[in-house]
Amino acid sequence: MFRNQYDTDVTTWSPAGRLFQVEYAMEAVKQGSAAIGLRSKTHIVLGCVNKANSELSSHQKKIFKVDDHIGVAIAGLTADGRVLSRYMRNECINYSFTYESPLPVGRLVVQLADKAQVCTQRSWKRPYGVGLLVAGLDESGAHLYYNCPSGNYFEYQAFAIGSRSQAAKTYLERRFENFADSSWDDLVKDALMAIRETLQGETLKSSICTVAVVGVGEPFHILDQETVQQMIDAFEVVGEQEGSAAEPDAAAGQEAAAEQGAAAADQGGSTDECVAPMDI
Amino acid sequence: MQFMASKQPENSLLGPESDSQRTLYPYVTGTSVVALKYKDGILMAADMGGSYGSTLRYKSVERMKPIGKHSLLGASGEISDFQEILHYLDELILYDNMWDDGNSLGPKEVHNYLTRVMYNRRNKFNPLWNSLVLGGVKNGQKYLGTVSMIGVNFEDNHVATGFGNHLARPILRQEWHENLSFEDGVRLLEKCMRVLLYRDRSAINKLQIAKITEEGSTISQPYSLKTYWEFSAFANPAQGAVGS
């Protein structure tokens, strides 16, 4: 995208019918570190890569609990993301207070999208520079939405946003048809593997990623580092063994059942996908 | 709101009543509403009287109305305030339907919304002078609750407003049980309404019974209860009275 004479104002159309400022805002999302989301019929998992600026600093919080039944992962300008999370929390709590019932995620997402749209049609505002993956439950089950700075929103079975998200998207595209009936463990595992895809060869450790889950009967919560590390260890072991043998052994004791679950979901032929392509 | 519509001169002797922008007393009122949970849903009964003080002035007032797909609202107290509430709920249900997204407000949500409205009005010293009964079924769950004009709200297996609390609830406490059949439920409600007819002077003998189940709601046509006056005490009521 190059500079042109129609990109100064969000309220200026280009002759081709584009609003460049809005498109530039969407570029900001692509610069942020990756966030992914995937869902089954009853659960949604959100994951993100946490890159700290230096070893001395802490990493930015990119996953926020909005209510017991809704959570959000952001990519882009984290400050804008925090402000929108606060708005979402406010809407949820007001609805809960008035109706003693959780706000359906589909309605929250529309309200959020309408809020973003306002910023694309006022000369004294700028679009929010953040993309949000909203995971939540309502009467019709588990949902995952992506809200973009343009004010559009889409529902997804699985999605990834931020830098190097294309690798994660490719991984998810291959597997998404199986997600609807996935178990909790498989869903989290797939999330971690999708995160790994965005790391381009760097080792996946629980210290550089965050995973959160929400589901039917399970309020939104961020998984603690130990649990995440255990799950990583489980499939890394499986990955190494599959490099040499046709079938995985139930090696790491505690995660044995989960591994076999992962193997079954892999359906035999695709086992080499557990090994990151660049490792071969 | 700043513009004073009062026609009273400033030095009126009426005192605070001349600032009549707020509800001070009810004018046309409905009496008790009684409701109970039964096997398939909720049954609710109310007579069709609208009293103007001690005059039984209006005799075809429908005090129970369906709300959306899942709820039924019955009201006692000021009829005009009930109509106002129906207007608010109409708008609420309209906006809910306009989302067109597979989610809908159930009886619990409507009850809580009404509680908020009633309590907020009470805090402004401008109450909606009603006692409301909200019943409904959604996704197999039966719900029956009540809200008063001061915002007191609760749920129970059987509720009543006004005189119904004193005359009908004791009967219900004795005779209500889980999984009443429709016939038994109606019989029980009629028993309560009959006592109210005998003993509440603002009750009239023209009532409706409403039912709500998962499938939807129906409100019966108005009908009358049979009353029994052949008690021996009525045969010679002055027997034993001093000086007769």
Side-chain angles (χ1 to χ4, degrees):
Chain A
M1 224 173 288
F2 300 108
R3 278 232 68 199
N4 55 71
Q5 48 180 268
Y6 308 108
D7 68 355
T8 312
D9 249 308
V10 73
T11 50
T12 305
W13 288 100
S14 80
R18 294 159 71 170
L19 287 170
F20 281 103
Q21 279 294 309
V22 176
E23 293 183 27
Y24 295 165
M26 308 216 280
E27 282 298 310
V29 176
K30 294 181 204 165
Q31 301 301 330
S33 54
I36 60 111
L38 52 149
R39 68 163 165 136
S40 69
K41 267 198 219 101
T42 53
H43 287 76
I44 313 110
V45 179
L46 291 175
C48 68
V49 171
N50 294 126
K51 284 295 176 63
N53 280 336
S54 76
E55 280 202 20
L56 297 170
S57 75
S58 65
H59 58 77
Q60 287 194 313
K61 188 163 161 181
K62 286 161 49 83
I63 295 191
F64 299 91
K65 172 170 171 168
V66 167
D67 201 344
D68 284 334
H69 67 298
I70 300 182
V72 64
I74 63 170
L77 265 52
T78 3
D80 284 2
R82 228 178 29 249
V83 159
L84 289 177
S85 300
R86 186 163 57 235
Y87 168 75
M88 292 165 80
R89 285 173 177 166
N90 216 34
E91 291 299 301
C92 281
I93 216 170
N94 284 339
Y95 188 93
S96 260
F97 176 69
T98 309
Y99 301 102
E100 270 218 30
S101 211
L103 174 59
V105 63
R107 297 190 183 187
L108 178 61
V109 162
V110 173
Q111 286 172 259
L112 192 56
D114 288 347
K115 192 172 159 73
Q117 190 280 339
V118 169
C119 299
T120 66
Q121 211 175 6
R122 305 279 184 272
S123 61
W124 61 90
K125 287 185 182 253
R126 64 157 177 83
Y128 288 105
V130 64
L132 302 112
L133 282 172
V134 184
L137 305 167
D138 67 20
E139 267 183 63
S140 40
H143 297 272
L144 174 68
Y145 294 92
Y146 170 53
N147 276 70
C148 104
S150 61
N152 283 324
Y153 69 96
F154 308 92
E155 187 167 0
Y156 285 98
Q157 193 68 36
F159 200 49
I161 56 176
S163 68
R164 294 196 278 261
S165 58
Q166 188 51 53
K169 263 187 266 190
T170 314
Y171 173 83
L172 293 168
E173 267 166 37
R174 271 181 279 158
R175 317 266 300 219
F176 78 94
E177 264 142 5
N178 300 323
F179 290 163
D181 298 308
S182 277
S183 70
W184 190 98
D185 281 334
D186 286 342
L187 214 57
V188 175
K189 236 165 241 168
D190 275 318
L192 287 165
M193 296 209 241
I195 295 173
R196 191 169 59 173
E197 296 293 312
T198 67
L199 293 172
Q200 304 279 23
E202 207 186 308
T203 328
L204 176 64
K205 293 187 291 248
S206 64
S207 53
I208 56 163
C209 67
T210 309
V211 180
V213 185
V214 62
V216 175
E218 191 180 339
F220 183 88
H221 62 286
I222 297 180
L223 302 181
D224 63 271
Q225 290 228 329
E226 274 172 38
T227 317
V228 175
Q229 192 57 49
Q230 277 169 7
M231 303 211 75
I232 295 173
D233 293 337
F235 72 73
E236 303 257 78
V237 175
V238 170
E240 281 163 23
Q241 293 182 327
E242 281 165 356
S244 50
E247 278 176 13
D249 297 348
Q254 335 151 280
E255 302 292 85
E259 283 167 19
Q260 274 151 19
D266 289 346
Q267 305 279 327
S270 56
T271 48
D272 49 315
E273 280 163 18
C274 288
V275 182
M278 53 294 291
D279 284 352
I280 298 167
Chain B
M1 284 298 272
Q2 300 299 324
F3 182 75
M4 286 300 277
S6 170
K7 291 196 179 73
Q8 315 289 346
E10 286 301 317
N11 53 357
S12 156
L13 293 167
L14 280 170
E17 290 149 20
S18 60
D19 177 12
S20 58
Q21 300 287 351
R22 327 201 218 125
T23 301
L24 299 168
Y25 351 85
Y27 285 88
V28 179
T29 55
T31 185
S32 323
V33 178
V34 190
L36 47 79
K37 282 188 192 169
Y38 80 109
K39 183 162 61 84
D40 304 325
I42 312 291
L43 280 168
M44 199 185 292
D47 71 18
M48 298 190 75
S51 304
Y52 187 64
S54 50
T55 308
L56 300 176
R57 185 155 174 197
Y58 302 104
K59 304 204 186 157
S60 294
V61 180
E62 280 205 27
R63 296 195 291 116
M64 295 182 296
K65 293 283 185 187
I67 309 291
K69 283 183 290 205
H70 305 285
S71 316
L72 202 52
L73 176 66
S76 66
E78 174 61 58
I79 300 299
S80 63
D81 282 350
F82 175 50
Q83 289 169 347
E84 184 82 345
I85 289 169
L86 289 175
H87 176 76
Y88 285 143
L89 288 177
D90 201 33
E91 219 178 274
L92 183 75
I93 300 292
L94 177 71
Y95 280 117
D96 188 43
N97 290 341
M98 271 168 42
W99 279 104
D100 195 21
D101 64 350
N103 292 301
S104 56
L105 293 171
K108 178 165 125 123
E109 287 82 23
V110 177
H111 183 226
N112 276 287
Y113 171 78
L114 286 171
T115 304
R116 291 292 115 234
V117 171
M118 300 301 271
Y119 184 64
N120 273 296
R121 289 289 297 256
R122 165 261 197 200
N123 285 338
K124 295 195 277 198
F125 280 89
N126 187 16
L128 288 160
W129 206 286
N130 295 107
S131 285
L132 306 169
V133 172
L134 198 296
V137 195
K138 190 172 175 213
N139 296 334
Q141 295 272 62
K142 301 189 278 263
Y143 186 92
L144 181 59
T146 179
V147 199
S148 77
M149 67 188 255
I150 57 171
V152 175
N153 76 303
F154 53 90
E155 289 170 59
D156 207 339
N157 292 319
H158 47 81
V159 295
T161 67
F163 262 84
N165 273 311
H166 301 105
L167 299 172
R169 292 297 297 287
I171 301 174
L172 293 167
R173 283 185 204 117
Q174 286 272 60
E175 302 192 21
W176 183 91
H177 57 86
E178 288 275 7
N179 291 319
L180 279 164
S181 70
F182 175 72
E183 290 76 23
D184 284 342
V186 173
R187 204 171 298 133
L188 191 48
L189 273 182
E190 283 186 350
K191 185 170 180 181
C192 295
M193 295 304 282
R194 186 170 292 112
V195 173
L196 286 166
L197 179 59
Y198 287 141
R199 297 295 178 175
D200 179 5
R201 73 165 190 176
S202 27
I204 63 167
N205 196 1
K206 184 176 173 194
L207 71 145
Q208 290 177 304
I209 294 208
K211 150 174 96 95
I212 183 160
T213 62
E214 191 77 55
E215 284 79 51
S217 58
T218 48
I219 303 182
S220 73
Q221 287 295 346
Y223 69 102
S224 307
L225 293 170
K226 197 162 180 301
T227 55
Y228 306 91
W229 301 98
E230 294 74 41
F231 294 105
S232 56
F234 298 159
N236 191 8
Q239 181 177 24
V242 173
S244 51

